[in-house]
């Protein structure tokens, strides 16, 4: 099946590979898994045991990345081709409104107080929209082609993957100052934090590597081989393993700094986003060219089923109840 590569994808078919984005829900007891489909312009929920995703929420064209608000009721979805962010009601399953975001909005993060961070793929900056919406957006200059962005759990730092600068910008959120720029491999894209937030793992698409960054010193303390075109990353709750999707290889690499050899799990075509269930038993992988999501048993490290979803799935977002309890 032919997939259209949009102008804002940069090179090597880059649009979105999701991190395991942790939001929170509205009182449900179990975690929720969402998949964002680019071609199908839809947001769907993966229901445990089902072979088909739930009824999709229709979006405007070419959605790129997603962040779930800490109160769990809303999702924020970027549209680089339309210069806007959709605000989606996850309870009523509809788009509430859109926020204008000049340029090519790509990576997105939302703070507990409603402060919104949006990376402009073509503008070399991150826009910051305050919760009350009363002031014009503030811009923070970063590297070229900022892709995914990631807040630390305490929201004191924002990490920005600068795909065309081969670096990570570290933004202090209190005063929106760039406090460090960390050189990494070629074309950094996906990022994931360890559970204690002491390590940042960065997938470098053109290097086929993962850079490991100490978040206290901002030093690169390790470089791991991952596979061809790493596009998504997630970390197990105990921090023992890092899951990295390799788009070109069609695999998920299971990596560890504990001396264990890497394991490569075959999944669908062009895997990108990856997220881990709250109980740590499963992970979910968005297969862009297969129009489905692979479910992997993390005990056996084998794919156990595929879930059919709207066309071109690229991002996975996992909501966990305990995050919501902390947010309240």
């Amino acid at each position: 099946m032919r997939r259209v590569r949009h102008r804002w994808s940069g090179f090597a078919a880059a649009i979105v590979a999701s991190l395991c984005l942790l939001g929170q829900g509205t009182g449900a007891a179990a975690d929720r898994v969402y998949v964002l489909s680019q071609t199908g312009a839809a947001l769907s929920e993966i229901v445990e045991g089902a072979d088909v995703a739930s009824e999709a929420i229709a979006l405007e064209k070419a959605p790129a990345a997603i962040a779930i608000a800490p109160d769990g009721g809303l999702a924020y979805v970027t549209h680089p081709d339309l210069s806007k962010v959709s605000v989606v009601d996850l309870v009523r399953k509809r788009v509430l409104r859109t926020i204008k975001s000049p340029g090519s909005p790509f990576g997105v993060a939302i703070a507990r107080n409603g402060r919104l961070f949006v990376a402009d793929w073509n503008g070399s900056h991150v826009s910051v929209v305050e919760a009350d919406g009363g002031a014009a957006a503030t811009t923070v200059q970063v590297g070229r082609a900022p892709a995914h962005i990631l807040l630390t759990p305490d929201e004191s730092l924002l990490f920005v993957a600068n795909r065309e600068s081969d670096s990570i910008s570290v933004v202090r959120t209190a005063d929106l100052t760039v406090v460090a720029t960390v050189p990494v491999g070629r074309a950094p894209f996906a990022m994931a934090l360890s559970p204690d937030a002491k390590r940042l793992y960065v997938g470098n698409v053109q290097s086929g590597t993962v850079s490991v960054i100490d978040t206290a010193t901002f030093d690169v303390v390790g470089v791991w081989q991952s596979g061809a075109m790493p596009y998504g990353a997630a970390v197990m709750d105990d921090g023992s393993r890092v899951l990295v999707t390799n788009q070109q290889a069609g695999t998920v690499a299971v990596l560890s700094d504990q001396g264990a050899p890497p394991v490569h799990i075959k999944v669908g075509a062009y895997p990108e986003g990856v997220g881990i269930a709250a109980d740590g038993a499963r992970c979910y992988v968005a297969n862009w060219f297969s129009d489905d999501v692979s479910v992997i048993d993390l005990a056996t490290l084998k794919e156990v089923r595929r879930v059919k979803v709207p066309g071109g799935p690229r991002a996975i977002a996992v909501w966990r109840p305990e995050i919501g309890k902390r947010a309240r």
Side-chain angles (χ1 to χ4, degrees):
M1 180 180 295
R2 183 174 177 269
R3 294 288 192 255
V4 176
R5 289 176 169 84
H6 291 263
R7 59 176 174 80
W8 43 265
S9 62
F11 40 80
I15 294 180
V16 64
S18 174
L19 318 177
C20 180
L21 298 172
L22 301 182
Q24 87 104 4
T26 53
D31 56 347
R32 295 183 298 185
V33 181
Y34 294 97
V35 57
L36 186 66
S37 296
Q38 175 214 331
T39 310
L43 179 62
S44 309
E45 185 176 351
I46 304 297
V47 178
E48 180 58 28
D51 294 324
V52 179
S54 66
E55 182 179 354
I57 302 170
L59 304 171
E60 294 190 69
K61 76 169 187 175
I66 178 174
I68 300 177
D71 68 3
L74 301 177
Y76 295 80
V77 176
T78 55
H79 302 268
D81 286 346
L82 302 177
S83 300
K84 64 174 63 174
V85 177
S86 292
V87 183
V88 183
D89 187 325
L90 296 175
V91 177
R92 296 177 177 84
K93 300 187 183 301
R94 62 186 179 90
V95 176
L96 290 179
R97 63 185 184 277
T98 59
I99 300 170
K100 291 182 180 179
S101 185
S104 300
F106 194 87
V108 60
I110 182 73
R112 285 185 288 272
N113 66 357
R115 199 183 204 193
L116 185 68
F117 300 84
V118 183
D120 183 351
W121 180 275
N122 288 324
S124 300
H125 65 258
V126 173
S127 296
V128 185
V129 180
E130 299 300 335
D132 58 14
T138 303
T139 58
V140 182
Q141 293 300 311
V142 292
R144 297 191 308 275
H148 284 297
I149 60 180
L150 181 62
L151 281 167
T152 53
D154 65 2
E155 300 181 353
S156 63
L157 297 175
L158 179 78
F159 297 104
V160 183
N162 304 309
R163 178 158 174 147
E164 293 181 7
S165 294
D166 300 338
S167 67
I168 302 298
S169 294
V170 185
V171 179
R172 186 170 58 213
T173 59
D175 57 5
L176 299 180
T177 298
V178 176
V179 295
T181 301
V182 185
V184 289
R186 292 182 61 197
F189 195 68
M191 296 181 292
L193 278 166
S194 62
D196 59 10
K198 293 182 178 180
R199 293 286 186 268
L200 177 70
Y201 301 94
V202 181
N204 303 305
V205 174
Q206 293 190 346
S207 299
T209 60
V210 173
S211 297
V212 184
I213 297 173
D214 183 317
T215 59
T217 64
F218 306 129
D219 292 326
V220 175
V221 294
V223 178
W224 301 344
Q225 295 297 315
S226 62
M229 297 176 66
Y231 259 77
V235 185
M236 295 289 292
D237 279 355
D238 61 3
S240 64
R241 295 180 290 182
V242 180
L243 308 180
V244 178
T245 57
N246 298 307
Q247 189 197 68
Q248 194 172 53
T251 62
V252 174
V254 183
L255 308 175
S256 172
D257 62 0
Q258 306 299 315
V263 176
H264 295 270
I265 306 166
K266 192 67 178 174
V267 289
Y270 273 50
E272 295 201 354
V274 56
I276 299 173
D279 61 7
R282 302 168 305 287
C283 78
Y284 301 86
V285 179
N287 300 312
W288 178 26
F289 276 26
S290 298
D291 297 339
D292 55 25
V293 170
S294 293
V295 182
I296 296 174
D297 184 315
L298 292 176
T300 63
L301 299 182
K302 295 184 182 299
E303 183 187 53
V304 292
R305 76 176 194 279
R306 299 270 184 95
V307 180
K308 203 68 181 170
V309 298
R314 312 207 65 172
I316 297 286
V318 179
W319 163 73
R320 294 185 172 192
E322 68 269 19
I323 302 298
K325 292 176 182 177
R326 289 200 296 270
R328 291 193 294 273

